[in-house]
Amino acid sequence: MENQNYHMSPEQFRTEGKKIIDWIADYYENIEKYPVLSQVKPGEIISSLPNHPPQKGESMEQMMQDIDEKIMPGITHWQSPNFFAYFPSNTSFPSILGDLVSSGLGVQGMIWATGPAATEVETRVLDWLAEMMGMPEKFKSTSSGGGVIQDTASTSALTAVIAARERATQYESNKTGVRQKLVAYISTQTHSSLEKAIKMAGIGKDNLRLIAVDETFAMRPEVLESQIQKDKDAGLQPFFICGALGTTSSNAMDPLREIGEIANKENCWFHIDAAMSGTAMLCPEFRHFMDGVELADSYCFNPHKWMFTNFDCDVFWVANRNELINTFSILPEYLKNKATESGAVFDYRDWHVQLGRRFRSLKLWFVIRHYGVEGLQFHIRKHVELTRTFTNWINESDDFELVVEPPLNLVCFRHKKGDDFNMKLMNAINETGKLFFTHTKLNDQVVLRMSIGQTNTEEEHVKAAWEMISNTASLLS
């Protein structure tokens, strides 16, 4: 009997891999034929899958048939040009290919020695990005700081909070636990991941202050200043402030310079969360939004939102890398090696929470090299232009109103008939599967959000969306 080792041979892989590349290309060619929002009911997918694992291996043909028949109905098509929900999570073919190479190499790049290219490509690409976005010199690896790729902005927030905690306690809390009465500050509009980070870092939710916002939903620096004063008078120690370059709900731009000046004066770590909108900094005409960035201790943005790089890829820059390394470095015997001991290399596991790390910079490298700076700028400008067009249609309409002037690619608007009508309108449209958009609450009112930033979204898609929104509103009225 022939000895079978159960592995797929390189020859089989070559054959099946080509079929899957074709399958992905076909998917993008036909993506608009699918309902954007998955129409399945809870439990429908799981009940179509066997209760028990297969005893004997199955063919790729059977697996791909199940993808088509069982998995595809349960996919919400984030890459559809008619996806206007939440935020873009756009990808591109160069990014997918870069990720495929990364998966193929299977590198575990936890320290320089386990994958020198994984470390050094990441360092170079994040220096490129700092240059492409007009970031201050201090965020480059050639200066006191540098960049590292995290999975999401949530992990960057946690990393910043922990590093801030250690700086505030002179690295004591890593040893003894948090004994000081530390207080952190965000706006009422800041992403929920900051609250999560404060809980996880042992600071406690009661020591997180939510600062009021102005009519554009941006943090009010004078309220921040008086709250810090109150906390200091009560014997508490302010240690961390987060400013948003584009909040999640409305894309509000916090006044970063004023917040940064307060943070520096009060000796607080200043973190900037630019998750989606950070990509727009590729275009010089949008950089006024990051005025004051040189005052920040850390800054993050997600190429996996609006820079055609598939999830997950968050860029986290720090002004002083030693503060990160002193916070996160642990050196067990099994990781000791000459390169680390020489001090001449970056070991990125000392720059964040996890030890293990994929070769994530490859897909970013592929994207930047494929599009070039001008290609990336072209698409960002196009999305902002489409947003302005959509905004004009709302301003010209008698039935809809703009809730806040869009700084970039997110339109917050509502029908004048009130909350229930807006929810009914949104749900009716989403159930058709022709497009997908979502809502938020601002000033306790339901607000519809149109997020324009998918890789293949063109004016025809935005126009069709507006026509559907206004026609459906007329039918429901």
Side-chain angles (χ1 to χ4, degrees), residues 149-159 191 193 271 273 275 300-302 304-305 311-316 354 360:
I149 296 177
Q150 309 259 17
D151 50 10
T152 62
S154 303
T155 304
S156 283
L158 178 62
T159 307
H191 193 267
S193 59
H271 175 62
D273 180 357
C300 78
F301 90 102
N302 294 336
H304 70 228
K305 279 206 166 81
F311 191 84
D312 53 333
C313 182
D314 167 81
V315 171
F316 178 67
Q354 77 274 19
R360 268 186 293 229

Side-chain angles (χ1 to χ4, degrees), residues 407-453:
L408 293 165
N409 65 324
L410 174 70
V411 190
C412 291
F413 66 107
R414 66 196 306 269
H415 196 281
K416 292 174 183 174
K417 278 197 163 173
D419 288 0
D420 291 347
F421 186 85
N422 277 287
M423 290 304 290
K424 200 162 92 175
L425 171 64
M426 180 186 76
N427 291 328
I429 290 168
N430 287 344
E431 279 163 20
T432 68
K434 289 193 168 63
L435 65 118
F436 179 34
F437 67 126
T438 45
H439 77 287
T440 188
K441 275 200 165 176
L442 296 169
N443 292 337
D444 289 326
Q445 284 187 320
V446 169
V447 173
L448 303 176
R449 295 166 76 263
M450 189 78 176
S451 172
I452 300 171

Side-chain angles (χ1 to χ4, degrees), residues 67 166 184 188 447 466:
I67 294 261
E166 290 312 302
T188 57
V447 173
W466 171 243

Side-chain angles (χ1 to χ4, degrees), residues 125-138:
V125 166
L126 298 195
D127 282 349
W128 277 4
L129 261 180
E131 180 188 313
M132 288 159 69
M133 295 183 152
M135 293 294 285
E137 276 303 307
K138 68 179 184 180

Side-chain angles (χ1 to χ4, degrees), residues 118-316:
T119 296
E120 295 189 18
V121 171
E122 188 161 329
T123 303
R124 176 63 79 215
V125 166
L126 298 195
D127 282 349
W128 277 4
L129 261 180
E131 180 188 313
M132 288 159 69
M133 295 183 152
M135 293 294 285
E137 276 303 307
K138 68 179 184 180
F139 290 120
K140 292 185 182 171
S141 68
T142 46
S143 179
S144 58
V148 61
I149 296 177
Q150 309 259 17
D151 50 10
T152 62
S154 303
T155 304
S156 283
L158 178 62
T159 307
V161 167
I162 295 171
R165 181 193 77 191
E166 290 312 302
R167 183 168 83 182
T169 64
Q170 271 96 50
Y171 304 97
E172 207 182 272
S173 53
N174 258 350
K175 201 161 57 190
T176 59
V178 186
R179 295 177 175 184
Q180 295 80 354
K181 295 176 178 176
L182 301 178
V183 194
Y185 305 83
I186 63 176
S187 92
T188 57
Q189 298 293 305
T190 305
H191 193 267
S192 55
S193 59
L194 269 298
E195 182 190 315
K196 199 174 185 179
I198 291 296
K199 290 174 180 172
M200 288 170 76
I203 307 301
K205 189 183 167 184
D206 288 353
N207 302 311
L208 177 64
R209 305 285 181 260
L210 305 186
I211 305 301
V213 294
D214 63 17
E215 66 288 348
T216 69
F217 305 101
M219 188 191 281
R220 290 172 56 192
E222 72 283 4
V223 179
L224 172 67
E225 207 156 19
S226 67
Q227 182 61 53
I228 287 176
Q229 217 33 67
K230 250 185 245 171
D231 288 330
K232 282 163 69 178
D233 293 346
L236 305 173
Q237 184 182 343
F239 84 111
F240 177 89
I241 304 169
C242 178
L245 197 159
T247 57
T248 309
S249 268
S250 69
N251 211 10
M253 300 289 173
D254 285 341
L256 301 177
R257 180 166 296 285
E258 291 168 82
I259 296 169
E261 283 165 359
I262 294 166
N264 287 7
K265 187 178 76 181
E266 299 295 345
N267 204 16
C268 289
W269 184 288
F270 181 33
H271 175 62
I272 296 175
D273 180 357
M276 177 186 71
S277 299
T279 295
M281 301 308 110
L282 289 165
C283 304
E285 67 268 29
F286 302 130
R287 287 185 196 153
H288 59 277
F289 290 124
M290 66 175 197
D291 177 46
V293 67
E294 71 279 4
L295 302 169
D297 294 285
S298 56
Y299 177 107
C300 78
F301 90 102
N302 294 336
H304 70 228
K305 279 206 166 81
W306 195 16
M307 204 178 131
F308 318 107
T309 306
N310 54 311
F311 191 84
D312 53 333
C313 182
D314 167 81
V315 171
F316 178 67

Side-chain angles (χ1 to χ4, degrees), residues 44 46 89 107 114 117 126 155 182 206 264 275 281 329 345 369:
E44 209 173 305
I46 200 166
S89 182
V107 169
T114 63
L126 298 195
T155 304
L182 301 178
D206 288 353
N264 287 7
M281 301 308 110
S329 183
V345 299
R369 294 184 67 186

